[in-house]
Each structure stands twice: as C-alpha cells, then as structure tokens.
Amino acid sequence: MKNVRLPNGMTVWTNHKRGTLAVYREIFEEKIYGGFDLVDGDVVIDVGANVGLFARWLQSLGIGLYLFCFEPARDSYECLIRNVPNVSCLRLALGRSCCKAMLTTYPRIPELSTVCPERFAVQEKQRWQSYLASFLWGWFAAMVVFWLFDKRKGEPCRVINLSSVLPDFAEVALLKIDVEKAEEDVLDGIDDDDWLKIKQLAVECHCGEAQVDRLKNLLCLKGYEVERLDNMVFPQLDNPLLKCRRL
C-alpha cells in the first residue's frame, strides 16, 4: 500500500499506482460520472468501490451525500477505508443471492478482481492484449498480458444481494456498479418492488456487446432512459458505461 499524489494534488492510498491513475483520468478528468442529478441528503451506493476514487470525486462536489461503498478485495478495501474514513464501507461482494464465494484477485492489476473468473479469463486477456498492442509490439504485448494475469490468488468473501440492504433506504439517488463481469448478477439481486427506489444507475459493462444489449433492454423495461458512454480513455478495452435515469 502506497500513498500517492494525484495530478489534482489529492493524495490517496493505493495498492496499484498505475491503475489508480487510470481510474483518476476517467473519473476526475473525463468526468464519466458527471450529469447525474444529486442534492444534499441523497443516498449513493457504490458497488465495486475499489480504493474509493468515485467516492472521493463525489465528496469533491460539495454535496452532502450519504455514501455506502462495497468492496470485497482485502487490499483494495484497506485502501478504501483510509481514503474515505467518513463513509460507510463494507467488505462485501454483491450478487444474485446471499452466499459465500471465492474472489479471484490479480496482485499485479488488482482493479480486475472478480467473483466470476470463469467468465473473465479468456475475454479479458484478449481485451488487454488488444489495448497493449496499440502501442507495443504484438509479441511484447502478449508477454505483458501473461505477466499481468499469471499471478493470482483466491480470497473467500461474503456475497449479499442488493435487496437485502435496500429496505434500509426509502430512495437511492444513484447506484454505481463496476464489478468485472458480475454486473448482471448484481442487477438480478434486485427484487421487482425495489427497482422503484433506484432513481439513477451507472453500470460499467465488461462482457461485450451482447451483454450491453441485454442490460439496455433490462433497464429500459425497468423504466429507465439509458445512455451509452464509450470509454474514451482506453477505447480498446471496450467497457462502455450505461448511464440510466428513471423516466
């Protein structure tokens, strides 16, 4: 764990400086989460909080929000609670149902920790090789991808579903989800009656165009207007953000 200074002068604790700087670019410079309607007293739930840059960005807006962050990876969680000590942080994963699971973490690229390694391995390696090959020789890009993903470890984690916590809230102004191929599992964990509590969503998609289409159709059926925002910082990674507002 290191304490690093970001380009805007903010300091944060991180377990992966390069990854944190990349996320900083998306959130603080590209402002991918901008445009949502938030006012004092609103509740925001961050599923897949990593080290807490989204929460820090929300705090920088100067709005009195109630933030709740979920992050199952131990090292990222330790950074999270240091970066946002005044926020409710829970070391939990979100899924379809409440259970125990094994979280796969990649120490060399911890942002990609996942409870769905069977969906993750081949496709994610291909995406990263495509990205790296845009500025590295092909053979060298392949070596870097092997190095990034070769080292991994498993951590037992507890999984809950969103509907087990939503009864605590009359309304959720914004639900942000970034969970490395478990997006549909998280949404499947919302009971029909609880959808009406959620006014806005930001869902990062990691499983390709077929998943994007499925999620857009689901969210439209649930009563949201859906806007797609492609990743302009790392377009080769093909992980668009769906920004949703209840009609």
Side-chain angles (χ1 to χ4, degrees), residues 22 99 125 208 233:
C99 63
K125 288 177 183 178
V233 179

Side-chain angles (χ1 to χ4, degrees), residues 123 127 181 205-214 228 238-240:
Q123 186 181 38
R127 285 164 22 138
K181 294 186 166 43
C205 303
H206 296 270
C207 290
E209 290 302 316
Q211 185 208 42
V212 173
D213 291 340
R214 288 195 303 272
R228 173 180 174 146
D238 189 27
N239 55 340

Side-chain angles (χ1 to χ4, degrees), residues 10-124:
M10 178 188 298
T11 59
V12 296
W13 291 96
T14 179
N15 52 351
H16 184 218
K17 181 178 179 180
R18 287 181 182 272
T20 296
L21 289 172
V23 175
Y24 168 86
R25 284 183 61 191
E26 291 182 319
I27 295 177
F28 283 87
E29 294 180 355
E30 296 297 321
K31 301 188 187 310
I32 63 171
Y33 294 110
F36 288 108
D37 297 322
L38 297 170
V39 298
D40 284 349
D42 277 348
V43 171
V44 178
I45 298 178
D46 183 359
V47 181
N50 193 244
V51 302
L53 287 189
F54 175 66
R56 290 289 291 268
W57 175 74
L58 287 174
Q59 291 176 331
S60 75
L61 300 179
I63 305 171
L65 302 172
Y66 293 100
L67 305 178
F68 298 85
C69 296
F70 293 85
E71 174 53 52
R74 182 189 59 207
D75 292 345
S76 297
Y77 178 80
E78 291 298 323
C79 295
L80 173 67
I81 59 176
R82 286 166 172 77
N83 290 330
V84 285
N86 55 341
V87 168
S88 297
C89 300
L90 299 166
R91 191 183 165 198
L92 296 167
L94 276 291
R96 287 190 175 92
S97 58
C98 300
C99 63
K100 294 181 179 179
M102 187 64 68
L103 178 75
T104 299
T105 63
Y106 300 89
R108 291 171 178 148
I109 188 165
E111 294 81 11
L112 301 185
S113 299
T114 180
V115 292
C116 303
E118 70 284 352
R119 305 175 196 167
F120 183 89
V122 174
Q123 186 181 38
E124 198 66 21

